Amino acid sequence: GSSYQLNDVLELRVGITADESPIPSRTLGPSIPGADLLVLGVGVGYSWKDFILDVGYMAIIYKSRSVLNGTLEANQLNPIAPGRDRYKIFQNFVSIHLQYRF
């Protein structure tokens, strides 16, 4: 990530992260549906007198994954269990922070 002080009152921020999942497909399940992901973040900070306002946005984009194990597969003993599943996850985060210095 990086930040850039545009002027006396405004600071711009940007960041990017890539993370590989440690969960192999043979143990992937709905309780921990981990996947490789990409995180993109932007933010802005504004200073006015003794106040500082920070606003940020972060998008987390997960790579689609499929269950390759038989843990949750429908079978003769449990015919109502789901079949092979595919996980698609996308998350959005917005943050607002107000600070007062005294």
Side-chain angles (χ1 to χ4, degrees):
S2 185
S3 64
Y4 177 73
Q5 190 73 37
L6 192 60
N7 54 39
D8 289 342
V9 297
L10 200 58
E11 182 176 6
L12 306 175
R13 302 178 188 103
V14 65
I16 186 169
T17 300
D19 189 23
E20 293 183 5
S21 174
I23 303 170
S25 295
R26 69 181 181 279
T27 60
L28 179 66
S31 61
I32 307 175
D36 296 348
L37 59 91
L38 178 67
V39 179
L40 305 171
V42 295
V44 62
Y46 179 77
S47 299
W48 179 71
K49 297 186 179 181
D50 291 330
F51 290 94
I52 299 174
L53 176 66
D54 291 303
V55 178
Y57 170 75
M58 182 170 59
I60 304 178
I61 306 159
Y62 291 81
K63 183 178 178 182
S64 296
R65 288 193 76 178
S66 296
V67 173
L68 299 178
N69 60 46
T71 304
L72 296 176
E73 299 300 324
N75 56 42
Q76 294 173 348
L77 299 175
N78 190 4
I80 62 170
R84 291 192 181 272
D85 291 322
R86 184 166 183 82
Y87 296 99
K88 294 182 181 181
I89 304 169
F90 179 81
Q91 295 176 325
N92 290 290
F93 295 96
V94 176
S95 66
I96 299 172
H97 177 253
L98 180 62
Q99 177 180 337
Y100 176 72
R101 292 186 225 174
F102 54 92

